[in-house]
Amino acid sequence: MKVVEKLNMLCGREINRDLLFMKMNYFFAWGAYAPVIPFCATIGKQRGYSALAMGITLTGLQIPSLVVRPLLGSVTDAYQCRKLMFLIGEVLSALAVLGLIFLPGATVAESIADEIVFNTLLYWVFFFLLFFLYLGCVMRSLMEDTICVSLLGDNVHNYGQQRVWGAIGYGIISIVSGVVVDWFSIGQAHDDFRPGFVIAFICVAFDVYVSAKIKVEQVKKTETFSGNMKTVLTDFRVIVFLIATISFGFFYTFVLYFVIWYLEDITNLHHPEYEPHIKTIQGLSQTIQCFLGEVPFYFVSSYIIKKVGHMNVFSLTFVAYAIRFALYSIIENPVVALSVEIFHGITFALPYSAGVAYAAKLAPVAAEGTMQGLVGMTMKGIGIPMGNFVGGYIIKNLGIVDAFRIFSIGSLMVCIVVSTMNLIVKRMYKTENNVVQTS
C-alpha cells in the first residue's frame, strides 16, 4: 500500500492499485511459463519421445482448455468466485512445477517406439505433472483476463497495455532460464532443465502473493443471462469470430511448441558448432518474440484495433503466419532464424488483444467469464490441440522444414476463408455500430 502511495506522489496522479497488481500478476505468471511451456516438446524429445508422441501428449494437455474453460467461466459468473479460482489455479501450477523439479531425468540417443513410450510409468508421471500445470494455467489465465477486462470497464481497448507486462516477464525469464540451463548443463551428456523449473516455481510464488492483493468485484447474474448467451451464440458475427480464434490457436501451436524443436533440428543438421549454446539460443528466441514482437504491439494494439477492426486483425495475422512459416522453411542457421521472431507481435500479441477485447464487447452483462471461457476454449481447447496432433504427425513423417512449408500455405488459405466470411458479416450487419465491431 505504501508503495502505491509513493508512486502516486511521484506521478502526480492517482494510480489504480488493482491494475498495478494486475500488471505484476501478468509479469510473474507469464514469466513462470517461459522455462517450461516452450520447452515441453524438446524435454520430451530428450527423453526419447517422437514428434508424434509429443504431438499426442500436447493434445492431451489441452483437455482442460476444452472442458474447464467454458465450465469455469459459467461457474464463476454464477457463484461470484473468480478470485478463489484464480488463486487455486496458481497454487496448482506451483505444485506441478515443484513435481517437475524432482522428476527423474532421462536422455536417450534415439527415439523410443511410441507403443513403448505410452507403456512406461515415467512417461505418465511426466504427462500428469504437465497436465496439472496446464490445468492451473487454464484456471489462472481465464480468470486473469476476465478480471482484467472487468477492471478496465469501458477502457477494455487498453487491455494490451496490461497484458504487455506478461510479455516483458516472459522475455526476461526466457533468456535468464536459457543461460542458466546451459550453464548447469556444461559437461553433462544432456540438458539439465531443473534450474529453469526452480526459476518457474519462484515466479509462481511471487504471482500468488501479488494476485491475493487484487480486489475483484462481480456484477450479479441477471435473469436474462441464459437468453442473452443464446442470442450471442447464434449471432453470425460470433460464429465467424470463433472460427477465427480456432484457426489462430491452430497456427500458434507451431510457434509455441515446434519453433524450439525447429531450432534444435537445424542446429544438429547444419550448425553443430552451436549445440553447446542451444538453450541460450532457444531462450533468446523467446526473448526476441517478447521484446521485439509482443511488447511494441501490445502498446499499439488499441490504436490498430480501432483503425483496422477486430476481425481484420485476424486476416492480417494469418498473412503474417504464412510469411513467418515460409521463412522458417528456408533458413538453415539458428542465429539467422532468430530474426523471424519479430513477427510474433503480429502473429500473437495483436490477435490475442483483439480477441479478448472483442469477446468483452460481445459478452452480455455478468457473462464476461462465460464469454472469455468460450473464446479460450475455441483457441486453446480446439485450435491448439488440433495443431499439436496435426503438427506432430506431419513433422514425424516429413520433417520440420517441409512441415513449415505446408503450414505457410495453410495459413494463406485460412486467411482467404476468414476474410470472405467477414465480408459476408459486414453485408449482414449494415448499421454503423455493427460494422465498426465486425470490420
Side-chain angles (χ1 to χ4, degrees), residues 51-52 55-56 58-59 253 258 384-394:
L52 179 59
I56 294 172
L58 295 170
T59 300
T253 302
F258 295 113
I384 289 181
M386 287 172 58
N388 282 325
F389 184 81
V390 172
Y393 178 83
I394 294 176

Side-chain angles (χ1 to χ4, degrees), residues 14 22 44 92 121 161 176 201 205 216 238 253 330 349 353 374 409 413:
E14 189 70 22
M22 199 77 234
L92 188 59
L121 176 61
Q161 296 176 18
V176 170
F201 181 77
V216 179
V238 177
T253 302
I330 61 177
S353 296
L374 180 64
I409 296 170
M413 294 174 64

Side-chain angles (χ1 to χ4, degrees), residues 271-435:
H271 290 274
E273 69 273 15
Y274 291 130
E275 287 183 8
H277 312 290
I278 184 59
K279 295 308 164 192
T280 299
I281 292 172
Q282 290 170 334
L284 186 58
S285 75
Q286 307 298 300
T287 300
I288 294 172
Q289 285 181 10
C290 294
F291 285 105
L292 298 184
E294 289 186 46
V295 171
F297 275 88
Y298 275 129
F299 277 118
V300 300
S301 61
S302 175
Y303 176 81
I304 295 175
I305 291 168
K306 284 182 178 179
K307 289 292 183 182
V308 176
H310 297 88
M311 288 304 299
N312 286 337
V313 164
F314 283 97
S315 296
L316 179 63
T317 292
F318 297 131
V319 172
Y321 267 124
I323 298 171
R324 186 175 186 175
F325 294 152
L327 289 173
Y328 285 142
S329 70
I330 61 177
I331 294 174
E332 297 181 347
N333 188 313
V335 175
V336 176
L338 294 177
S339 62
V340 183
E341 304 311 294
I342 60 175
F343 277 89
H344 203 61
I346 306 177
T347 58
F348 179 73
L350 192 56
Y352 195 92
S353 296
V356 171
Y358 198 34
K361 285 183 175 293
L362 294 174
V365 175
E368 297 89 351
T370 303
M371 191 66 189
Q372 294 293 343
L374 180 64
V375 173
M377 178 195 73
T378 56
M379 175 194 167
K380 300 179 180 179
I382 299 177
I384 289 181
M386 287 172 58
N388 282 325
F389 184 81
V390 172
Y393 178 83
I394 294 176
I395 291 169
K396 180 180 179 179
N397 289 278
L398 299 179
I400 192 76
V401 173
D402 286 338
F404 275 125
R405 291 195 181 101
I406 294 172
F407 302 154
S408 178
I409 296 170
S411 186
L412 279 178
M413 294 174 64
V414 168
C415 178
I416 294 170
V417 172
V418 170
S419 298
T420 302
M421 294 179 73
N422 190 41
L423 288 174
I424 295 172
V425 168
K426 287 182 180 181
R427 291 180 178 274
M428 292 177 62
Y429 298 85
K430 294 182 179 179
T431 66
E432 183 178 349
N433 182 53
N434 282 332
V435 170

Side-chain angles (χ1 to χ4, degrees), residues 16 20 36 137 167 274 385:
N16 187 313
L20 176 61
V36 185
C137 291
Y274 291 130

Side-chain angles (χ1 to χ4, degrees), residues 120-385:
T120 60
L121 176 61
L122 191 58
Y123 166 80
W124 288 107
V125 174
F126 174 67
F127 173 85
F128 279 109
L129 285 174
L130 290 179
F131 181 86
F132 287 115
L133 173 63
Y134 271 70
L135 176 59
C137 291
V138 164
M139 296 173 67
R140 184 204 55 73
S141 63
L142 171 59
M143 291 299 98
E144 78 178 358
D145 284 341
T146 305
I147 292 169
C148 185
V149 297
S150 178
L151 291 172
L152 288 169
D154 294 335
N155 297 314
V156 67
H157 56 275
N158 290 329
Y159 166 81
Q161 296 176 18
Q162 318 307 314
R163 176 60 179 78
V164 67
W165 290 95
I168 293 171
Y170 194 96
I172 292 174
I173 302 302
S174 290
I175 187 62
V176 170
S177 60
V179 170
V180 170
V181 168
D182 270 343
W183 189 69
F184 273 85
S185 302
I186 294 175
Q188 298 191 40
H190 61 281
D191 294 315
D192 187 352
F193 291 96
R194 289 176 298 175
F197 298 153
V198 171
I199 293 172
F201 181 77
I202 293 171
C203 286
V204 176
F206 276 111
D207 189 28
V208 173
Y209 175 77
V210 298
S211 298
K213 294 182 174 294
I214 300 172
K215 185 179 180 181
V216 179
E217 294 182 357
Q218 289 184 241
V219 178
K220 289 187 177 180
K221 181 178 170 181
T222 63
E223 293 181 3
T224 58
F225 173 87
S226 298
N228 286 340
M229 280 307 300
K230 288 179 182 178
T231 301
V232 168
L233 292 175
T234 55
D235 189 327
F236 190 60
R237 292 173 301 174
V238 177
I239 294 172
V240 174
F241 174 46
L242 295 181
I243 290 173
T245 58
I246 290 173
S247 304
F248 167 46
F250 181 82
F251 291 114
Y252 174 54
T253 302
F254 309 134
V255 173
L256 180 61
Y257 295 114
F258 295 113
V259 165
I260 297 293
W261 190 296
Y262 156 78
L263 290 172
E264 203 161 279
D265 273 7
I266 63 172
T267 297
N268 292 335
L269 288 172
H270 304 290
H271 290 274
E273 69 273 15
Y274 291 130
E275 287 183 8
H277 312 290
I278 184 59
K279 295 308 164 192
T280 299
I281 292 172
Q282 290 170 334
L284 186 58
S285 75
Q286 307 298 300
T287 300
I288 294 172
Q289 285 181 10
C290 294
F291 285 105
L292 298 184
E294 289 186 46
V295 171
F297 275 88
Y298 275 129
F299 277 118
V300 300
S301 61
S302 175
Y303 176 81
I304 295 175
I305 291 168
K306 284 182 178 179
K307 289 292 183 182
V308 176
H310 297 88
M311 288 304 299
N312 286 337
V313 164
F314 283 97
S315 296
L316 179 63
T317 292
F318 297 131
V319 172
Y321 267 124
I323 298 171
R324 186 175 186 175
F325 294 152
L327 289 173
Y328 285 142
S329 70
I330 61 177
I331 294 174
E332 297 181 347
N333 188 313
V335 175
V336 176
L338 294 177
S339 62
V340 183
E341 304 311 294
I342 60 175
F343 277 89
H344 203 61
I346 306 177
T347 58
F348 179 73
L350 192 56
Y352 195 92
S353 296
V356 171
Y358 198 34
K361 285 183 175 293
L362 294 174
V365 175
E368 297 89 351
T370 303
M371 191 66 189
Q372 294 293 343
L374 180 64
V375 173
M377 178 195 73
T378 56
M379 175 194 167
K380 300 179 180 179
I382 299 177
I384 289 181

